[in-house]
Amino acid sequence: MTRKTLIIGNWKMNLTMHEASLYLHKLMEQLPVRRDVEVVVAPTMLTLQSLSLQIKRRIVKLAAQNCYWRDHGPYTGEVPASHLHGMVDYVIIGHSERRHIFMESDKDIRFKVQAALRNRLQPILCIGETAHERTLGETREVLQDQIVNGLANITAEEIDHVVIAYEPVWAIGSGEYAQPSDLAKVLKVIRQQITHLFGKEAAEAVRVVYGGSVSVDNASDYLAVAGLDGLLIGGASLDAYQFTEIVKKAHKE
Ligand code: PEP
């Protein structure tokens, strides 16, 4: 089974409407149309509708950085997955900033994954251990728990549409990053857990990407890791030139 490489830029709470539009204009000019890499950016919620009219989805797709899991109702300030349908292809769920700053629980994350799938969006489920958990040697258990909790109640068919982003919390925005040579162990834990829950075929179909202080300098090392299907990039994705350079490194054709 061939899995398409996925390069995702998470802009977080950066880039105004005007800046985002200029960025995408540049990106679409610079990026060659190639079929071997899927390029996705996640701008702020407010800009998505307008950007969705600007983008050429053959070149770049959009992701939301979050969504709410109910489809409508009295939930002031929330944006449901049902309203994102048609505007974005992906939605990032369970980013560590949402887990730790906004106190999202496993239940919230599980419901959001289900809401994304119900509304035909592909969830990018972020998982990863904190520095403390890493020191205690609990990485395996943390990842297993986050997978079990995040993917409860979904079917083996639905798992095909899920992307798992391994983002060790200590590596996000810190300049410290997981050694590419250490990722094999983590990939094994993730695919074993998916096999356990959904079977071998599902585990081979699901894409797993890495995120945490990826830069132009270290991207190639990650892209060479067997079984890793791409990257989730925060800081370095804010610069269209750097992001484009990383995408170019991912092209194999
Ligand atoms: C992220 O926010 O998902 C991320 C990986 O950030 P950075 O690349 O800046 O570490």
Side-chain angles (χ1 to χ4, degrees):
M1 149 106 37
T2 45
R3 299 182 302 258
K4 201 177 218 183
T5 301
L6 185 57
I7 306 291
I8 309 155
N10 177 14
W11 294 356
K12 312 194 186 191
M13 206 171 69
N14 296 294
L15 303 188
T16 61
M17 182 65 243
H18 180 64
E19 290 164 342
S21 175
L22 280 178
Y23 179 118
L24 279 183
H25 183 74
K26 255 194 254 172
L27 195 68
M28 289 191 291
E29 237 175 33
Q30 290 169 6
L31 280 185
V33 182
R34 299 265 191 85
R35 280 161 203 241
D36 60 333
V37 178
E38 208 177 338
V39 182
V40 178
V41 293
T44 62
M45 205 57 106
L46 191 62
T47 62
L48 288 175
Q49 184 166 31
S50 169
L51 296 177
S52 72
L53 302 174
Q54 182 189 343
I55 52 156
K56 295 190 182 85
R57 291 174 61 219
R58 280 177 306 128
I59 304 179
V60 57
K61 293 179 180 151
L62 294 176
Q65 296 174 17
N66 183 30
C67 66
Y68 192 52
W69 53 271
R70 292 206 193 257
D71 287 339
H72 48 79
Y75 306 101
T76 304
E78 292 298 313
V79 177
S82 57
H83 288 197
L84 293 168
H85 172 71
M87 245 185 307
V88 304
D89 287 283
Y90 290 90
V91 53
I92 298 174
I93 294 175
H95 190 281
S96 65
E97 285 152 15
R98 299 231 44 103
R99 289 182 194 258
H100 299 294
I101 302 173
F102 298 99
M103 302 301 160
E104 279 190 13
S105 67
D106 284 336
K107 181 178 136 241
D108 295 321
I109 291 162
R110 168 162 74 246
F111 285 176
K112 287 180 180 196
V113 168
Q114 290 167 11
L117 291 166
R118 184 168 73 240
N119 288 286
R120 281 172 284 142
L121 305 175
Q122 299 196 59
I124 300 166
L125 172 64
C126 299
I127 59 173
E129 78 286 3
T130 62
H132 183 62
E133 289 160 344
R134 182 187 185 212
T135 313
L136 294 177
E138 292 176 350
T139 299
R140 166 186 282 271
E141 289 71 24
V142 169
L143 299 182
Q144 286 172 333
D145 280 357
Q146 289 176 339
I147 292 171
V148 170
N149 285 314
L151 299 180
N153 297 333
I154 74 163
T155 66
E157 286 72 43
E158 286 174 323
I159 188 80
D160 274 18
H161 303 291
V162 174
V163 175
I164 307 273
Y166 170 58
E167 298 211 300
V169 181
W170 49 269
I172 295 181
S174 64
E176 225 189 307
Y177 46 87
Q179 289 307 313
S181 52
D182 291 341
L183 286 183
K185 242 194 288 176
V186 169
L187 289 170
K188 196 166 159 203
V189 170
I190 294 172
R191 290 204 199 275
Q192 271 177 349
Q193 192 59 42
I194 306 272
T195 305
H196 183 64
L197 295 172
F198 301 100
K200 203 166 171 359
E201 220 177 289
E204 278 168 17
V206 74
R207 285 184 291 180
V208 183
V209 301
Y210 167 76
S213 297
V214 172
S215 65
V216 178
D217 297 331
N218 63 22
S220 300
D221 296 337
Y222 291 112
L223 291 164
V225 173
L228 188 71
D229 303 304
L231 301 167
L232 175 48
I233 306 156
S237 76
L238 290 176
D239 180 277
Y241 173 75
Q242 286 189 45
F243 189 61
T244 306
E245 286 307 298
I246 296 175
V247 173
K248 285 184 184 162
K249 288 176 194 293
H251 286 305
K252 294 190 180 76
E253 286 172 356

